[in-house]
Amino acid sequence: AELRAPPDKIAIIGAGIGGTSAAYYLRQKFGKDVKIDLFEREEVGGRLATMMVQGQDYEAGGSVIHPLNLHMKRFVKDLGLSTVQASGGLLGIYNGETLVFEESNWFIINMIKLVWRYGFQSLRMHMWVEDVLDKFMRIYRYQSHDYAFSSVEKLLHALGGDEFLGMLNRTLLETLQKAGFSEKFLNEMIAPVMRVNYGQSTDINAFVGAVSLSCSDSGLWAVEGGNKLVCSGLLQASKSNLISGSVMYIEEKTKTKHTGNPTKVYEVVYQIGTETRSDFYDIVLVATPLNRKMSGITFLNFHPPIEEFHQYYQNIVTTLVKGELNTSIFSSRPIDKFGLSTVLTTDNSDLFINSIGIVSSVREKENPEPSTDGTYVWKMFSQETLTKAQIVKLFLSYDYAVKKPWLAYPRYKPPEKCPSIILHDRLYYLNGIECAASAMEMSAIAAHNAALLAYHRWNGHTDMIDQDGLYEKLKTEL
Ligand SMILES: Cc1cc2nc3c(=O)[nH]c(=O)nc-3n(C[C@H](O)[C@H](O)[C@H](O)COP(=O)(O)OP(=O)(O)OC[C@H]3O[C@@H](n4cnc5c(N)ncnc54)[C@H](O)[C@@H]3O)c2cc1C
Ligand SMILES: CC(C)=CCC/C(C)=C/CC/C(C)=C/CSC[C@H](N)C(=O)O
């Protein structure tokens, strides 16, 4: 098909994994001449960030990546970064009174323990997740053939039809209950995984539930040096221009360009310190949740098809403590026989943490090493900021604690209606995909999709957008 002259300038708002991967894919599609400005008001990386404990950096936000997250894998390879295995170790589940499940060092013992307590439900759960992932993986094929979708719903429908899309409208609880899983298994095995990963209950939508359960697969990994290195790497590789400022307004205007023709452009008004500046762009991508507390962007002279406060984000606090855990809270066993490196919790309102686990610094290749005094660094997730009294309760002694509060991911409440990707003629929104599931890979998928969508709409390639029957159509193509 014939191509129109490429746009002069593109703006991306937000330099997290979504914004930086969008820069990378926009550069691939539109070529070397388009100027790409990437606005970031805080740090490059966004929700990928590290916190320092006694001279070592630890992941404070997005930390683990699934072995089948192909965009993240590709970025790491293309950028020449190295990977580390996400820390393993033994896991226990605490219900506020006792450990209802404890992993053993022996695979066979674990199998016997699981079958004894839950029958074959653990195996069936893995099969259910695998089935969802199988369909999910179709997106890579569609994107490698350059197909794009104009809504999150159309994208999910293309992966697995009505049934797959329907996962957004059902809770994980009702889906797994219908599939015959027992209350005991749901409370003791599934709920703790939802608490550690999304700080929520099994009332989240079934798709994000499956994404969360996929974190129990083996082979999870992270980027050596910190996951945020992917963002700075993509920014550099895409030859984009970072503007360290906060975008306040986006307004559509008509401008006479060098060709002499009046053209519709977006004026992006931003603040650097106390100074207000503005610039004009042919295409704008918003790569931050459009939520007043998280981005504060106002649209002038047009109303994007999106509610202003459409989605609440969950408060989660990451706390890192270097110290000696008070294992007697969880188990009557002597401290040197405790052996667990992660404790997840069941849904119990008396508990003030969602999870606690030993973590490796971003530089450690192998399992976490204790420091010379024998203590480890522990990571806790909680809904509220932990008080000193709560930390003292959890640790016999500690010498350092750091906390970071997040508006972490959407508060899931199916049925979910995802916000539009197309906010206006040439204005695109990436983070609507988080209403299906929030994860690094989801933002990268949204970024690739938005870059393809912007490219096809710019060139009038309507046949590459929202195609039906893609799975069947591509089955026979290499
Ligand atoms: C505690 C925690 C643990 C997590 N764990 C995992 C995990 O293990 N694995 C996983 O895959 N995912 C995990 N996630 C989710 C994952 O981190 C996010 O889904 C992903 O990082 C979102 O990336 P993003 O680029 O879409 O958004 P963000 O990272 O939020 O990026 C948006 C950027 O836009 C900037 N911005 C906002 N408004 C403006 C403005 N007006 N002007 C300029 N800049 C602006 C922000 O400062 C921010 O940097 C976790 C998240 C949290 C919080
Ligand atoms: C998108 C697909 C198919 C898979 C992504 C799976 C994945 C890695 C999801 C992450 C979910 C999430 C928000 C986890 C937060 S906590 C992570 C970890 N347990 C920690 O302790 O930091």
Side-chain angles (χ1 to χ4, degrees):
E2 225 173 87
L3 290 187
R4 190 177 150 190
D8 293 330
K9 280 177 86 178
I10 301 180
I12 303 170
I13 301 158
I17 188 65
T20 52
S21 34
Y24 178 85
Y25 288 118
L26 285 166
R27 176 66 69 210
Q28 266 186 10
K29 288 314 301 174
F30 283 107
K32 62 179 179 32
D33 292 333
V34 58
K35 187 168 184 290
I36 302 176
D37 283 346
L38 191 43
F39 291 90
E40 175 53 57
R41 68 175 180 193
E42 289 174 23
E43 300 281 319
V44 170
R47 276 173 276 168
L48 307 187
T50 51
M51 283 198 296
M52 197 175 268
V53 176
Q54 298 191 327
Q56 302 285 340
D57 283 322
Y58 295 82
E59 293 290 357
S63 57
V64 295
I65 304 164
H66 193 277
L68 294 177
N69 286 171
L70 301 190
H71 285 307
M72 292 302 292
K73 262 175 111 165
R74 157 58 65 94
F75 296 153
V76 164
K77 187 163 175 263
D78 284 2
L79 298 171
L81 295 166
S82 302
T83 62
V84 291
Q85 282 308 111
S87 37
L90 302 182
L91 176 126
I93 311 252
Y94 180 64
N95 70 358
E97 283 175 11
T98 181
L99 286 168
V100 291
F101 184 81
E102 270 184 86
E103 244 180 350
S104 141
N105 269 316
W106 300 93
F107 177 78
I108 189 74
I109 306 275
N110 283 329
M111 286 299 124
I112 294 169
K113 275 185 169 188
L114 281 172
V115 173
W116 182 258
R117 199 166 171 90
Y118 309 108
F120 288 97
Q121 296 188 77
S122 180
L123 185 69
R124 279 184 51 220
M125 184 270 285
H126 280 290
M127 285 162 63
W128 179 75
V129 173
E130 206 180 298
D131 187 50
V132 175
L133 280 192
D134 263 2
K135 297 198 170 87
F136 177 80
M137 300 296 288
R138 293 177 184 171
I139 190 62
Y140 300 115
R141 185 146 242 250
Y142 302 164
Q143 292 193 327
S144 70
H145 282 84
D146 270 9
Y147 287 101
F149 301 92
S150 66
S151 74
V152 176
E153 276 87 358
K154 286 187 173 139
L155 185 153
L156 291 178
H157 192 272
L159 300 181
D162 291 343
E163 181 58 27
F164 200 77
L165 176 59
M167 292 176 81
L168 292 195
N169 300 330
R170 287 189 297 276
T171 65
L172 178 68
L173 181 68
E174 61 184 299
T175 306
L176 294 186
Q177 272 172 341
K178 237 184 223 158
F181 288 90
S182 72
E183 289 304 302
K184 189 166 161 181
F185 186 74
L186 292 169
N187 293 336
E188 294 182 358
M189 284 283 145
I190 307 288
V193 180
M194 299 310 124
R195 274 168 71 81
V196 61
N197 287 334
Y198 287 101
Q200 295 168 64
S201 72
T202 49
D203 285 335
I204 66 179
N205 79 64
F207 178 71
V208 67
V211 166
S212 176
L213 287 170
S214 76
C215 287
S216 359
D217 290 346
S218 56
L220 297 181
W221 57 280
V223 178
E224 187 179 358
N227 295 326
K228 66 181 178 187
L229 293 183
V230 175
C231 303
S232 45
L234 291 172
L235 174 64
Q236 222 186 356
S238 65
K239 297 195 165 54
S240 305
N241 170 42
L242 177 67
I243 300 180
S244 301
S246 182
V247 171
M248 300 185 296
Y249 307 106
I250 301 175
E251 181 173 3
E252 196 191 31
K253 293 214 162 145
T254 303
K255 204 169 163 258
T256 306
K257 286 206 174 178
H258 46 269
T259 53
N261 295 329
T263 316
K264 296 262 193 205
V265 287
Y266 294 103
E267 182 175 23
V268 172
V269 181
Y270 57 98
Q271 208 160 17
I272 300 184
T274 51
E275 199 186 328
T276 302
R277 298 186 194 174
S278 80
D279 225 325
F280 294 95
Y281 297 91
D282 301 294
I283 295 174
V284 177
L285 268 67
V286 177
T288 172
L290 275 176
N291 171 308
R292 181 82 31 229
K293 275 195 197 163
M294 295 172 85
S295 57
I297 299 168
T298 303
F299 300 100
L300 294 179
N301 288 343
F302 66 93
H303 293 287
I306 189 167
E307 275 179 54
E308 204 169 357
F309 300 103
H310 64 277
Q311 188 115 53
Y312 289 99
Y313 271 65
Q314 180 75 23
N315 286 298
I316 289 291
V317 183
T318 309
T319 306
L320 294 177
V321 171
K322 183 175 173 297
E324 189 173 8
L325 186 69
N326 181 3
T327 57
S328 69
I329 297 178
F330 306 108
S331 157
S332 56
R333 258 194 268 145
I335 195 163
D336 56 325
K337 297 272 179 312
F338 182 63
L340 300 182
S341 54
T342 303
V343 178
L344 308 188
T345 60
T346 59
D347 248 327
N348 176 339
S349 52
D350 292 341
L351 292 168
F352 55 82
I353 53 165
N354 294 346
S355 62
I356 180 163
I358 297 175
V359 281
S360 310
S361 80
V362 297
R363 295 271 164 218
E364 277 171 282
K365 273 273 189 198
E366 299 296 326
N367 283 339
E369 284 289 326
S371 60
T372 43
D373 61 1
T375 63
Y376 288 95
V377 174
W378 296 82
K379 185 198 268 188
M380 285 156 283
F381 287 128
S382 57
Q383 236 82 355
E384 311 279 341
T385 304
L386 295 181
T387 62
K388 184 155 188 225
Q390 288 169 330
I391 296 178
V392 166
K393 200 170 164 191
L394 282 167
F395 291 89
L396 295 171
S397 63
Y398 72 95
D399 28 62
Y400 200 80
V402 268
K403 302 168 193 173
K404 185 162 176 62
W406 296 101
L407 281 170
Y409 10 68
R411 203 173 300 157
Y412 293 103
K413 213 164 169 275
E416 318 272 9
K417 166 107 189 58
C418 298
S420 305
I421 298 177
I422 303 170
L423 294 185
H424 193 247
D425 198 15
R426 286 150 289 114
L427 174 63
Y428 301 93
Y429 179 40
L430 272 62
N431 291 70
I433 202 158
E434 286 190 80
C435 82
S438 173
M440 295 174 230
E441 186 71 7
M442 296 303 289
S443 290
I445 286 171
H448 196 181
N449 182 63
L452 291 170
L453 190 61
Y455 178 78
H456 294 319
R457 281 166 51 90
W458 182 263
N459 289 302
H461 299 164
T462 48
D463 57 322
M464 296 303 286
I465 302 170
D466 296 336
Q467 274 287 322
D468 270 339
L470 271 186
Y471 179 61
E472 292 303 321
K473 187 167 165 170
L474 295 179
K475 243 183 185 171
T476 50
E477 296 203 19
L478 265 183

